[in-house]
Amino acid sequence: MPLNLQNVTFTYMKGTPFEKTALSDVSLQIEKGEFVAVIGHTGSGKSTLVQHLSGLLHPDKGSVTVDGVNLNAKNAAAKKARNSVGMVFQYPEHQIFAETVYEDIAFGPRNKGLGPDEVDRAVRDAMAFVGLDFDSFAKRSPFRLSGGQMRRVAIAGVIAMEPDYLILDEPSAGLDPRSRDAVFKEVMALYKKRGIAVILVTHNMEEAARYASRLLVISGGQVILDGVPHDIFTNHKDELLAASMDVPPVYKLADCLNAHGLPVERTPELAALEKQILELRRAKHAD
Amino acid sequence: MLTDITLGQYYPGNSVIHKLDPRAKIIATLLFIAAIFFADSLLSYGVLALFVAVVIGLSRLPVLMVLRSVKPLWIIIVLTLFIHAFTGEGKDVLYQYSFLRLTTEGIIMGIKMSLRLVFLLLISSILTFTTSPIVLTDGIEALLRPFKCIGVPAHELAMMMTIALRFIPTLIEETDRIIKAQTARGADFDSGSLLQRAKNMLPILVPLFISAFRRADELAIAMEARCYRGGEGRTRMHELAYKAKDFIALAIIILLIAVLAVMRWGLGL
Ligand SMILES: Nc1ncnc2c1ncn2[C@@H]1O[C@H](COP(=O)(O)OP(=O)(O)O)[C@@H](O)[C@H]1O
Ligand SMILES: [Mg+2]
């Protein structure tokens, strides 16, 4: 059941002097069950790419399909296909509008045409996923919550649509480290439980390295690298640097230690690296 | 798409029109608008069109972009054409349906009226295309300053305009984003009864207002933090100064008005 992008080209403000080609001839396929991280420099076209994946922008050339259904068609099947792709925008709390947390999260499921019981279940599930206690939050005004809590309400509003493909465009921008970790843990839990595809746009390499099973590197409106994060961070450092990006700090640290003669293996987990170093020290003391 | 709107945007350049003093440009624009109402015969409309074409040429703006500034109001322009065409007084009836009468005189009147609108839009967008918002409001402030003694808050008005102009593109972008976000949540904006459609707009309007208020709040704090306290005793970095070309420009506009006046009342063209 793949999400498919075929030779997609897209230009903003076509026919004006401000014309800007944000995607050129991009083709890719995302299967259910994948966790794809999309990284790239600011302005490289990440947001444009994911807005095509969710059918919000129409390609100038090429096509976007979910299970063979064209997302940009005007029929019921296309609408259903679009609803199967959930999209969490950058600063999603800016889309909150309802009087209560419950009503805001219920907006999507109701638009999908679910009955009251199903809506209720979807809202409760979504709130549980993002760690908002139903009894204490459901009836509160979303505008009286903290920034981190508002973001969770907004993310719950998308999760409640129960998408097969969940796209998150820099979901951690502007959050403190703890809320950031919490958001990723929740997304990860959802990913594991529902077996959906997650497409995560970020310019934080560390997030990409830790969570993703596949990494897309975008530069100048094209996918320049597509593969397993560990492999890209190990074998394609030069391409990353050329596209104004870098490998995650833990990889750098491992390289640094290697350069100093400490034989550690490169890993995306700081804890794993720490363990290796401690092992080395123990071995040395044992000598 | 919403973000395709070009009205009120500055298009940087180096042309003689760009370099005119903003006060001269504003006065010239106002005079040109007055000149539009001097035009009567089709020939004088031709003179106006020629003038606009020359100004566009001098400004070296992309012609297509300038012409597109008419687009947001095309409905009103077409409506003007039709209303005049069907309600004009005239003897040469081409077609009649109950009280609606299509007359040759009406059609000509409609063309003239919609041409006036088009010229008005073109010349004012040339003003905003060739003048950055900051310079433009500097000009407005300078022109309003003499009226301060009768209580016109020149500086405050200019500041409000600067801010409003500055935030138009931001709000358009924001609207676009919110529409997309709610669309992604399955919102449907163009079906249902009129009341239902109005209700469907709520998920866009509420976040938009909230964000506008938030921005206003942040801006006020940022301005206060930099000790903004109104126009009293404020000096400016760029003092405006008239140059020879500004007087030439104004002279040309006055000449245009004179030509149109002579054509209308002197020669009866
Ligand atoms: N609404 C828009 N109108 C015009 N240009 C845009 C618009 N949105 C994005 N762009 C341009 O398209 C390019 C890609 O933007 P985007 O996809 O937002 O990049 P990213 O998300 O990677 O930062 C950028 O150069 C940006 O300036
Ligand atoms: Mg982006």
Side-chain angles (χ1 to χ4, degrees), chain B:
Chain B
M1 219 167 73
L2 271 172
T3 43
D4 286 350
I5 296 171
T6 55
L7 190 75
Q9 257 180 14
Y10 175 51
Y11 188 84
N14 257 329
S15 74
V16 58
I17 306 281
H18 281 87
K19 284 187 186 147
L20 287 177
D21 185 282
R23 291 168 297 181
K25 259 191 275 189
I26 295 168
I27 295 174
T29 306
L30 292 177
L31 286 178
F32 180 84
I33 292 171
I36 292 176
F37 292 94
F38 273 57
D40 187 42
S41 63
L42 282 179
L43 186 62
S44 48
Y45 279 91
V47 173
L48 284 176
L50 185 69
F51 182 84
V52 173
V54 170
V55 175
I56 294 177
L58 282 178
S59 68
R60 289 203 228 117
L61 296 169
V63 179
L64 216 67
M65 182 185 73
V66 180
L67 294 182
R68 278 162 71 110
S69 58
V70 177
K71 216 170 90 184
L73 286 187
W74 72 270
I75 296 182
I76 294 179
I77 294 169
V78 171
L79 220 63
T80 307
L81 181 63
F82 274 83
I83 289 174
H84 279 281
F86 278 98
T87 60
E89 301 282 314
K91 283 173 232 85
D92 190 11
V93 181
L94 299 173
Y95 174 79
Q96 176 138 20
Y97 179 79
S98 84
F99 67 93
L100 290 174
R101 295 196 314 160
L102 184 64
T103 62
T104 316
E105 289 88 342
I107 292 177
I108 293 175
M109 198 60 188
I111 291 176
K112 284 180 183 172
M113 286 301 153
S114 25
L115 271 181
R116 283 185 178 179
L117 276 177
V118 170
F119 289 143
L120 201 86
L121 281 170
L122 287 179
I123 206 76
S124 24
S125 44
I126 292 172
L127 175 68
T128 52
F129 275 134
T130 59
T131 324
S132 79
I134 308 241
V135 174
L136 191 63
T137 42
D138 272 359
I140 293 173
E141 186 179 351
L143 288 173
L144 286 179
R145 214 174 293 143
F147 301 105
K148 233 175 164 168
C149 55
I150 59 163
V152 176
H155 169 79
E156 284 71 16
L157 280 178
M159 181 55 86
M160 272 157 53
M161 272 196 53
T162 314
I163 293 172
L165 284 174
R166 155 69 186 76
F167 278 103
I168 287 172
T170 315
L171 283 182
I172 291 177
E173 231 166 74
E174 188 106 351
T175 314
D176 195 48
R177 253 221 339 252
I178 295 171
I179 290 179
K180 276 185 191 157
Q182 308 298 28
T183 310
R185 290 209 277 166
D188 189 357
F189 301 114
D190 32 41
S191 66
S193 65
L194 205 60
L195 185 71
Q196 187 57 43
R197 278 194 218 190
K199 264 174 87 181
N200 289 349
M201 295 308 283
L202 273 185
I204 296 172
L205 293 179
V206 172
L208 196 61
F209 272 97
I210 289 172
S211 107
F213 281 119
R214 185 182 53 235
R215 281 181 200 285
D217 229 30
E218 283 168 3
L219 184 68
I221 290 171
M223 284 168 77
E224 280 206 294
R226 284 184 271 172
C227 303
Y228 178 77
R229 55 189 169 76
E232 224 36 66
R234 217 172 145 79
T235 57
R236 47 188 58 252
M237 195 154 111
H238 302 289
E239 293 285 350
L240 298 175
Y242 284 113
K243 301 212 183 62
K245 56 175 172 287
D246 301 315
F247 293 112
I248 297 174
L250 288 174
I252 293 175
I253 289 276
I254 291 170
L255 188 69
L256 175 74
I257 295 185
V259 168
L260 290 172
V262 168
M263 281 175 75
R264 180 162 182 178
W265 289 292
L267 305 172
L269 283 174

